[in-house]
Amino acid sequence: FPVLLLLAFGLFLGFAESKGAWRWAALLGVWVPIGQFLRIFTEGAQDKMISEGLFSIAALIPAFIGTYTGVAIRWAVTRHQKATTGTNV
């Protein structure tokens, strides 16, 4: 479920603002590892640091995929609008 949310919100952010898309993806995806590390430290479960903590960094992958998919969709829509109207949109 979190993967779908990262993909969806990344897509919306990438479509809305394509400049600096890597920043949007990083800001979106970084909260999963931060939340995981906070949970590990507050519960005192340092033995799960590698299995759950470090591997939660993989949440950046769907965030980047979603964001750059949104950028690609925006590029395609803009290109299509330019081709059909003959103007610079």
Side-chain angles (χ1 to χ4, degrees):
F1 187 68
V3 171
L4 294 176
L5 289 173
L6 289 170
L7 284 169
F9 285 118
L11 189 128
F12 291 131
L13 287 172
F15 186 82
E17 184 60 46
S18 59
K19 291 184 179 181
W22 67 271
R23 285 184 228 132
W24 289 116
L27 283 172
L28 186 63
V30 75
W31 294 106
V32 174
I34 288 174
Q36 199 70 354
F37 285 123
L38 286 174
R39 185 187 66 81
I40 288 170
F41 287 125
T42 57
E43 290 179 358
Q46 280 80 11
D47 58 323
K48 296 182 179 180
M49 180 65 75
I50 293 178
S51 64
E52 294 181 16
L54 291 179
F55 287 120
S56 67
I57 295 172
L60 290 169
I61 295 169
F64 273 89
I65 290 171
T67 303
Y68 280 100
T69 301
V71 170
I73 292 171
R74 181 184 176 112
W75 176 80
V77 167
T78 305
R79 186 171 176 185
H80 177 62
Q81 286 177 347
K82 286 180 183 179
T84 58
T85 61
T87 60
N88 289 335
V89 177

